Amino acid sequence: MRQDSDKLIIGGRAFNSRLMVGTGKYASFQQTAQALEASGAEIITVAVRRINLDRSKESLLDFIDPKRYTLLPNTAGCYTADDAIRTCRLAREAGMSDFVKLEVLGDEKTLFPDNEELLKAAKVLVAEGFTVLPYCSDDVIVCRKLEDIGCAAVMPLGAPIGSGLGIRNPYNIRIILENITIPVIVDAGVGSASDAAIAMELGCSGVLMNTAIAGARDPIAMAEAMKLAVIAGRLSYKAGRIPRKLYATASSPIEGLLG
């Protein structure tokens, strides 16, 4: 399989990279730009409520080439549907994008999503013409409802945001993959390259991460590692793994050997 023939399609738009990265928690805007470059990502998330939209002052947006990257404004920090809807409208009015990562959090300690408020916000935003990528729990019923509303993808958590625990329940992700036709993108909880590869080997369409890269000892090297892990995981999934067996199977054929 040629890598360039296996594109990720979201909302009718095609992307070569299946790795999406965030832009928070870096030591500087310069380091952010270097990590983006190393990651090979094409879709970049930015927290609307934490970004300086006053272009007369230095801003993260000064370090992101809009011709190279697709901005994915997110509603991080929103705890109600109304706040999330208002934030998405602000992002569009500011000329950022109508592609949005929708987050409606339900708890400050766990940062788990409030699925009821999420569904409410998604319904309004889809009706207003936004391309909505919602961060949600790894619940197939919630994902199915989001698909029915018209979301362009679903983004179930692998583990709590920033925890680095990896995918805690791969079986839930598999159930979602079997029941959803839109792209499934693991969001939150990835800590290492192996976590990203596992997500892709399950059959996910992509992985979104921030802390795993920005919080690494060497963010630039980790960004490259994540790029390679996503590519390797996707290739492994498409190639098809061998079945698991309890007992050994000889690697070399034994038929025809002299007794």
Side-chain angles (χ1 to χ4, degrees):
M1 178 197 70
R2 288 177 55 83
Q3 185 66 23
D4 59 5
S5 67
D6 184 40
K7 295 183 182 295
L8 171 62
I9 309 296
I10 299 179
R13 300 175 66 174
F15 302 92
N16 292 309
S17 174
R18 292 176 178 271
L19 173 61
M20 306 177 188
V21 296
T23 51
K25 301 183 179 180
Y26 288 94
S28 66
F29 291 150
Q30 290 82 0
Q31 187 184 66
T32 306
Q34 290 175 325
L36 297 182
E37 172 74 24
S39 74
E42 296 170 280
I43 299 177
I44 309 300
T45 69
V46 292
V48 179
R49 305 182 77 182
R50 298 171 188 158
I51 197 169
N52 179 18
L53 295 176
D54 180 1
R55 302 308 295 273
S56 65
K57 301 177 182 178
E58 186 177 63
S59 167
L60 170 65
L61 298 179
D62 297 327
F63 295 83
I64 298 176
D65 183 353
K67 295 179 181 178
R68 182 172 183 181
Y69 300 111
T70 295
L71 289 181
L72 184 66
N74 70 56
T75 59
C78 293
Y79 286 83
T80 68
D82 287 343
D83 278 349
I85 293 166
R86 189 180 307 112
T87 300
C88 289
R89 289 170 177 165
L90 174 62
R92 183 156 68 181
E93 289 170 7
M96 293 176 69
S97 179
D98 58 6
F99 258 49
V100 292
K101 177 190 171 186
L102 178 61
E103 296 183 30
V104 186
L105 303 177
D107 177 72
E108 292 186 6
K109 185 175 182 180
T110 64
L111 299 181
F112 283 154
D114 182 330
N115 291 315
E116 183 178 358
E117 290 291 292
L118 179 72
L119 289 164
K120 187 189 304 183
K123 187 173 184 178
V124 171
L125 292 169
V126 168
E128 292 185 4
F130 286 90
T131 300
V132 180
L133 287 72
Y135 161 70
C136 59
S137 56
D138 56 346
D139 181 331
V140 67
I141 306 303
V142 171
C143 289
R144 188 181 293 153
K145 288 181 178 180
L146 289 166
E147 180 178 29
D148 290 343
I149 285 172
C151 292
V154 289
M155 307 180 81
L157 57 86
I161 292 173
S163 67
L165 291 173
I167 299 177
R168 293 295 81 202
N169 198 331
Y171 302 104
N172 276 10
I173 301 297
R174 285 179 59 184
I175 291 171
I176 292 169
L177 287 164
E178 289 178 4
N179 288 273
I180 299 297
T181 61
I182 57 179
V184 175
I185 300 163
V186 165
D187 179 16
V190 169
S192 67
S194 60
D195 295 333
I198 287 170
M200 299 306 297
E201 287 179 338
L202 285 170
C204 292
S205 295
V207 182
L208 190 152
M209 65 185 74
N210 185 179
T211 307
I213 296 175
R217 185 170 61 251
D218 185 339
I220 313 306
M222 185 61 80
E224 184 175 7
M226 292 300 186
K227 174 181 71 174
L228 297 173
V230 168
I231 292 172
R234 178 66 177 176
L235 286 170
S236 177
Y237 168 73
K238 296 288 285 186
R241 64 158 291 133
I242 63 171
R244 291 180 172 88
K245 298 179 181 179
L246 184 59
Y247 296 102
T249 301
S251 296
S252 301
I254 59 175
E255 287 102 5
L257 292 179
L258 296 176

